[in-house]
Amino acid sequence: MSKRKEESISKPGSHKRQRREYAEEHSDESNEEENAQLSADDSSSSLSTAGEVGIIESIQLKNFMCHSMLGPFQFGSNLNFVVGNNGSGKSSVLTALIVGLGGKATATNRGSSLKMFVRDGETSADISITLRNQGRDAFKPELYGSSIIVNQRINLDGNRSYRLKSKSGTLISSKKEELLGILDHFNIQVDNPVSVLTQEMSKHFLQSKNEGDKYKFFLKATQLEQMKEDYSSIMKTKEKTRIQIDQGVERLQELKQVYCENKERYKSIGFVSEMRNQLEDLKHKMAWAVVGEMEKEIQPIKEGIRAEEGNTVRFVQKLEECQVKLKEAEEKYKAIQDRLIAISEEAQALHPQCVSLKADVQTRRKAVNEAEVFYNRSKTELKRLGKDDEQLRKRIEELRISANRVSDPEKLERQRKISYLREQLKAFHDEEIMLGQQVDQFYQAIYKCKEEHAILRRENTDAKQALDSKQKQLRDLKDSKTNTLKRFGQHIPAFLEAVETAYKEGRFRHKPIGPIGAFIHPKDAELTLAVEACLKGLVQAFCCDNHSDERTLQSLMPKYYPRGFRPQIIVNKFQNTVYDVRHRGVYHPEFPSVLTALEIDNAVVANCLIDVRGIEMILLIKSSRKAREVMQSNRPPKNCREAFTAEGDQVFERRYYSSDYVRPKFLSKDVEADIRHLEKEIEKKKGEITAYRQRLCSIDNEIRQNEDHLRGHQQRQRQLQVK
């Protein structure tokens, strides 16, 4: 098993003493596997031997094979016998000795894998072997001392780990290479049958009658087989080394030739080196000459500085006054800027109402013009009737005078005729008044119909435009299934290709980034509408690093964007990191800011939104009631400028604006739901347009009928005027 250096040194008066040590462990029949008996026959002299290394002093097993705890066994320095009943652990000790010193599982003839040595129901097995390490052949005695403890743990997955300790229990190493070094130093060969002869190997050796097998056993026992393999490996290494040497010789010749060439070149440039040194000297001289000239030029400047130093105090005072004024101006500018932002937001919120009022004013102005026309016509008609009345009165007076001149019968006849004419005149007058009233009614009816017709026509036009917009949006949504960029417009992919081409041609210093909406993604889908309501047109905007790139980008847009529909271009210096806004951003324990509610793919986009929209100071609150409570019932959170609800409503400290947005247009992730919603809205708009057309036809017919009646009454009025 090991190289033993055992000597008995006798002195006069000393004698050898034979001692046999037995170690027995007894247990009942249920724990027979724990039962082992150790008998040691140890012969030693009265003087200890000086050079004993590699001797096994003790071994202890835990959860190894079928034993929960076996040992520790203390061995003597000479011959030791391990005896016991079947199943008491004799073979387990030998197997543990092979495995514990690094042997393979197959070398034990007890199993094909290390995990088979772990006791059933346990997760690992432990082996502890103590080797003697004394004398002049000791292995690193300054580290390990007089004994080396080899601890090995085998896990249930078949892996094992080593822990090499000194006699005092200090961990020295956990590497297998250290164990192999110890075994080589002590000449311990666990896979050599001469050192460790298992039962199976002994049976095979004793029962084998084949000389070839015995010779193989001899080769293995004497390590001739290993030496043969080592020799073959050495010869292969030798051949490879010879080839490398031949290649090295050829390479050496090439290097020698290169060396000679470089040596000649070095000699040829020696003169250049001297000239370079002279050039350096001349440069130094020239530098000092320049210094001299500069000192002459500096002298009057120094005198001027001394003269101006007297005015420094006055300038410092002026500077402080200017700084105070500048600070005041900055505060005024900031206040004006905040007021401008508030006014801009209010103007933006009032824009739809302004458009509606302008349309109402135009309608009322048209009605006033028509009323003025009707008033002037009525006034003219009144003047005409006044003249007719005056003529009739004159005619009646003439008839009265002439009646006084005639005789009574004629007078009576004329009076009857006058009475008849007066009655007829009154009837005509009443009929004329009635016709005038009816004409006025027809005028009013026609005016109302035309006014309603104009309103319906305007609403019909708006509905058609809305229908066209929604149909375009539906096409964009369907195309966005294959290309998400088409959600921002059919022209966007082609426009981005043009930008890429221009960038490759060097027309941009930095490639523009956009549309911004393609780089932002709401973390919470319920806040998508709130984000779009907050960013508005910025979703389609582009970012440029400088104004030159902005002009180049503007020159590319006319081909892809119609006039009046070009997106905003933000000029902001590109940075690779997002601004640190912790000191000026809003924080609320329940609700996120727009910045924290978004996943932004590009730092430049995040910085642009911070600069232009201040998204770090805007809260997103799903409930409108909660938004009013946070922003208006109490003081708004620190650094909070405004908030948006899940419906897109905008909430300030003292104002609340309802949103015109119904559904998100650009940032929604559920494209199919958006498509279904748009298709329903398109069908609804088509129904509205059909209803508008039917109502317009009905009003046209009503206007024509009223105009026919009006013409008939006007013709009757003219007939009455003739009579």
Side-chain angles (χ1 to χ4, degrees):
M1 171 66 192
S2 65
K3 180 175 72 175
R4 300 176 182 271
K5 297 183 179 180
E6 301 175 355
E7 297 178 358
S8 295
I9 303 174
S10 300
K11 292 185 179 180
S14 68
H15 61 276
K16 285 188 178 180
R17 182 176 61 187
Q18 299 290 335
R19 184 178 64 182
R20 177 170 295 176
E21 298 175 354
Y22 296 93
E24 297 182 358
E25 295 181 3
H26 299 281
S27 64
D28 54 13
E29 293 179 355
S30 64
N31 196 18
E32 184 180 358
E33 64 181 14
E34 299 289 337
N35 188 14
Q37 183 180 15
L38 175 64
S39 174
D41 185 3
D42 185 8
S43 297
S44 63
S45 62
S46 59
L47 296 176
S48 61
T49 305
E52 295 180 345
V53 294
I55 295 174
I56 299 172
E57 292 183 345
S58 66
I59 185 169
Q60 182 178 1
L61 313 179
K62 181 180 178 182
N63 297 329
F64 187 78
M65 295 181 71
C66 59
H67 306 284
S68 61
M69 181 64 73
L70 199 59
F73 299 121
Q74 302 293 333
F75 296 106
S77 300
N78 295 316
L79 185 61
N80 296 272
F81 293 91
V82 181
V83 296
N85 296 328
N86 289 337
S88 60
K90 301 184 298 299
S91 299
S92 298
V93 172
L94 184 61
T95 302
L97 199 59
I98 297 172
V99 175
L101 293 178
K104 298 179 181 178
T106 55
T108 64
N109 293 319
R110 288 282 180 169
S112 59
S113 175
L114 290 175
K115 62 184 177 181
M116 299 177 67
F117 296 130
V118 180
R119 188 173 181 237
D120 292 340
E122 302 295 336
T123 58
S124 63
D126 295 308
I127 303 171
S128 179
I129 301 172
T130 304
L131 301 176
R132 187 172 296 174
N133 188 39
Q134 299 176 0
R136 63 176 180 273
D137 291 334
F139 182 81
K140 299 181 180 178
E142 68 279 0
L143 292 178
Y144 291 98
S146 60
S147 296
I148 299 176
I149 302 173
V150 181
N151 289 340
Q152 182 178 152
R153 170 163 290 185
I154 303 172
N155 296 321
L156 197 57
D157 56 0
N159 294 325
R160 58 182 172 183
S161 59
Y162 299 93
R163 295 173 67 85
L164 304 177
K165 299 181 179 179
S166 65
K167 184 177 181 180
S168 61
T170 304
L171 179 65
I172 304 301
S173 177
S174 58
K175 296 181 179 179
K176 186 177 180 181
E177 290 77 8
E178 183 78 1
L179 176 61
L180 294 177
I182 293 172
L183 297 179
D184 289 340
H185 187 79
F186 292 162
N187 196 22
I188 298 174
Q189 305 168 16
V190 292
D191 56 348
N192 193 333
V194 174
S195 297
V196 181
L197 186 62
T198 62
Q199 290 181 3
E200 294 296 327
M201 184 61 72
S202 62
K203 287 179 184 179
H204 180 72
F205 176 71
L206 295 173
Q207 294 176 2
S208 177
K209 297 180 181 180
N210 189 352
E211 296 296 333
D213 293 340
K214 291 181 179 181
Y215 182 69
K216 290 179 181 178
F217 182 82
F218 167 74
L219 291 176
K220 192 171 184 181
T222 57
Q223 291 189 318
L224 290 174
E225 185 177 0
Q226 182 65 35
M227 291 174 64
K228 184 178 179 181
E229 292 176 358
D230 292 344
Y231 179 75
S232 299
S233 176
I234 290 169
M235 293 304 294
K236 290 179 181 178
T237 304
K238 178 184 175 183
E239 183 62 25
K240 291 180 181 178
T241 305
R242 186 186 60 78
I243 294 172
Q244 290 177 355
I245 290 172
D246 293 340
Q247 293 175 351
V249 169
E250 295 176 359
R251 179 60 180 162
L252 182 61
Q253 294 297 329
E254 294 176 359
L255 291 174
K256 284 182 177 179
Q257 185 176 356
V258 173
Y259 168 75
C260 293
E261 293 175 356
N262 289 335
K263 188 175 180 181
E264 292 296 330
R265 188 179 300 168
Y266 176 76
K267 290 179 180 179
S268 63
I269 64 175
F271 179 70
V272 176
S273 178
E274 293 178 0
M275 293 182 66
R276 186 179 291 112
N277 294 333
Q278 293 178 2
L279 179 62
E280 291 295 327
D281 293 338
L282 291 173
K283 284 182 178 179
H284 293 319
K285 292 179 181 179
M286 184 178 69
W288 281 110
V290 172
V291 168
E293 293 178 358
M294 292 299 293
E295 286 179 347
K296 293 179 182 178
E297 294 177 0
I298 288 172
Q299 189 62 33
I301 295 174
K302 286 182 178 180
E303 294 176 356
I305 290 173
R306 284 194 293 270
E308 293 294 334
E309 282 178 351
N311 300 326
T312 302
V313 177
R314 184 164 53 85
F315 290 147
V316 168
Q317 291 177 352
K318 286 186 177 180
L319 178 62
E320 291 175 353
E321 293 175 359
C322 291
Q323 287 177 346
V324 171
K325 292 180 180 179
L326 177 62
K327 189 175 181 180
E328 293 176 354
E330 286 178 348
E331 291 176 354
K332 290 181 180 178
Y333 172 76
K334 186 177 181 182
I336 293 171
Q337 191 72 15
D338 295 339
R339 187 178 175 188
L340 178 61
I341 292 172
I343 293 172
S344 299
E345 292 170 350
E346 190 172 355
Q348 191 173 8
L350 293 174
H351 180 69
Q353 186 178 358
C354 179
V355 173
S356 175
L357 291 173
K358 283 183 178 179
D360 191 23
V361 167
Q362 290 178 354
T363 304
R364 292 179 183 275
R365 186 174 293 159
K366 185 176 180 182
V368 168
N369 293 333
E370 292 179 355
E372 287 180 352
V373 171
F374 177 72
Y375 170 75
N376 293 329
R377 188 185 298 118
S378 299
K379 192 174 181 181
T380 304
E381 186 67 20
L382 181 62
K383 289 181 179 179
R384 186 184 62 77
L385 290 174
K387 291 180 180 179
D388 291 344
D389 182 65
E390 186 178 355
Q391 290 176 359
L392 287 172
R393 287 181 184 278
K394 289 180 179 180
R395 179 61 179 165
I396 290 170
E397 187 65 27
E398 290 175 355
L399 290 174
R400 186 181 292 116
I401 294 171
S402 62
N404 292 329
R405 294 176 182 173
V406 296
S407 61
D408 291 337
E410 291 178 355
K411 187 176 181 180
L412 291 173
E413 183 66 24
R414 287 183 177 180
Q415 285 179 349
R416 283 195 301 270
K417 191 174 181 180
I418 289 170
S419 298
Y420 172 74
L421 289 174
R422 282 181 176 175
E423 290 175 357
Q424 194 174 9
L425 179 62
K426 184 180 180 183
F428 287 153
H429 184 67
D430 293 340
E431 185 180 359
E432 186 178 12
I433 292 173
M434 183 183 68
L435 287 174
Q437 292 175 351
Q438 290 179 352
V439 167
D440 292 341
Q441 291 175 357
F442 284 128
Y443 271 123
Q444 291 177 0
I446 291 171
Y447 169 73
K448 289 181 179 178
C449 289
K450 286 184 177 180
E451 186 178 19
E452 186 179 359
H453 186 277
I455 293 172
L456 286 174
R457 188 168 53 193
R458 185 168 59 252
E459 290 179 352
N460 185 45
T461 303
D462 294 341
K464 285 182 179 179
Q465 292 176 353
L467 177 63
D468 294 340
S469 175
K470 290 185 182 298
Q471 287 176 338
K472 180 179 179 298
Q473 188 177 352
L474 179 62
R475 290 194 298 271
D476 294 343
L477 278 175
K478 289 182 177 179
D479 291 339
S480 69
K481 290 183 179 179
T482 56
N483 189 343
T484 55
L485 290 173
K486 288 188 176 181
R487 192 158 194 177
F488 300 92
Q490 292 287 337
H491 55 281
I492 288 294
F495 178 65
L496 292 180
E497 288 182 6
V499 171
E500 181 69 26
T501 303
Y503 176 68
K504 291 179 179 178
E505 293 173 354
R507 297 170 62 185
F508 290 107
R509 297 180 190 172
H510 297 274
K511 182 181 174 182
I513 296 174
I516 286 178
F519 295 88
I520 59 177
H521 314 284
K523 297 177 182 177
D524 188 348
E526 295 182 11
L527 296 175
T528 304
L529 181 59
V531 173
E532 278 203 23
C534 173
L535 300 181
K536 295 183 175 66
L538 291 176
V539 176
Q540 296 177 282
F542 283 77
C543 303
C544 287
D545 176 74
N546 52 77
H547 291 285
S548 175
D549 289 349
E550 178 194 16
R551 289 191 292 272
T552 305
L553 187 64
Q554 285 178 341
S555 66
L556 295 176
M557 283 185 175
K559 183 178 178 182
Y560 303 94
Y561 289 94
R563 182 175 294 276
F565 293 92
R566 297 177 188 175
Q568 182 179 355
I569 300 176
I570 303 168
V571 179
N572 196 15
K573 192 68 177 177
F574 286 2
Q575 294 186 18
N576 295 326
T577 56
V578 181
Y579 297 150
D580 184 3
V581 295
R582 288 174 293 182
H583 63 286
R584 58 189 175 95
V586 63
Y587 169 76
H588 195 279
E590 293 184 53
F591 310 114
S593 66
V594 178
L595 179 62
T596 57
L598 293 176
E599 290 182 359
I600 304 178
D601 300 337
N602 194 301
V604 173
V605 173
N607 293 336
C608 286
L609 292 178
I610 290 171
D611 287 336
V612 176
R613 191 64 181 92
I615 60 174
E616 79 282 6
M617 295 185 288
I618 303 173
L619 282 178
L620 297 179
I621 305 173
K622 294 181 181 180
S623 169
S624 58
R625 181 186 62 79
K626 198 70 177 177
R628 290 180 184 271
E629 181 180 334
V630 172
M631 296 296 296
Q632 297 177 350
S633 298
N634 303 314
R635 184 176 179 84
K638 183 181 178 182
N639 298 329
C640 182
R641 193 175 69 190
E642 57 187 296
F644 282 85
T645 67
E647 291 80 17
D649 296 344
Q650 190 176 15
V651 187
F652 291 94
E653 185 176 0
R654 295 184 179 85
R655 301 185 305 279
Y656 189 100
Y657 299 106
S658 298
S659 173
D660 296 331
Y661 291 81
V662 179
R663 289 181 63 86
K665 182 178 179 181
F666 301 104
L667 304 180
S668 175
K669 296 180 180 179
D670 192 354
V671 179
E672 293 295 337
D674 291 342
I675 290 175
R676 290 193 297 271
H677 178 75
L678 270 178
E679 288 175 345
K680 290 180 181 178
E681 286 193 350
I682 287 172
E683 292 300 323
K684 184 179 177 181
K685 282 294 179 186
K686 287 181 178 178
E688 290 178 1
I689 291 173
T690 303
Y692 284 141
R693 288 176 179 172
Q694 293 175 354
R695 180 60 183 154
L696 284 171
C697 291
S698 175
I699 291 174
D700 286 336
N701 293 331
E702 189 174 348
I703 290 172
R704 282 194 294 271
Q705 291 176 1
N706 287 330
E707 287 178 345
D708 292 340
H709 289 308
L710 179 62
R711 282 193 294 272
H713 282 69
Q714 287 176 341
Q715 186 176 1
R716 178 59 181 165
Q717 278 184 331
R718 286 193 293 272
Q719 291 175 356
L720 289 174
Q721 291 171 2
V722 171
K723 291 178 180 180

